[in-house]
Amino acid sequence: MTSFVFSIFWMVESWKSAAPLQGPTKVNHLTQDLAGLLATLVCSYATYRFWKHRSETLGIVLGLLVAAAAMMWHRT
């Protein structure tokens, strides 16, 4: 559920930053942002899975930190 909400925020931000663009440039911009979203979700989940066996709380926190850092650097 958290990933779904994160994805919505990510794509809304992408749509806002691509608003002045038109045609193929806008599609390219949104496609790159979708690829970035998928990479972020995979990295966040991989971090969670790696640390889950050691400490579930630490896994959740580090997974959220990865996602938060990626969101901060998203289209800056």
Side-chain angles (χ1 to χ4, degrees):
M1 184 64 172
T2 304
S3 296
F4 181 70
V5 172
F6 179 77
S7 299
I8 290 173
F9 283 124
W10 184 284
M11 291 311 291
V12 166
E13 180 65 28
S14 298
W15 190 259
K16 283 186 205 175
S17 66
L21 302 175
Q22 294 180 356
T25 305
K26 186 172 189 171
V27 172
N28 183 28
H29 188 83
L30 293 174
T31 304
Q32 288 176 4
D33 284 341
L34 183 61
L37 170 64
L38 291 175
T40 300
L41 291 175
V42 166
C43 289
S44 182
Y45 184 69
T47 301
Y48 166 73
R49 292 290 295 182
F50 178 79
W51 285 100
K52 179 183 169 189
H53 300 293
R54 289 149 185 83
S55 169
E56 185 149 357
T57 304
L58 185 59
I60 292 170
V61 170
L62 290 176
L64 289 174
L65 284 175
V66 168
M71 189 66 172
M72 285 190 323
W73 289 319
H74 178 237
R75 288 289 168 195
T76 55

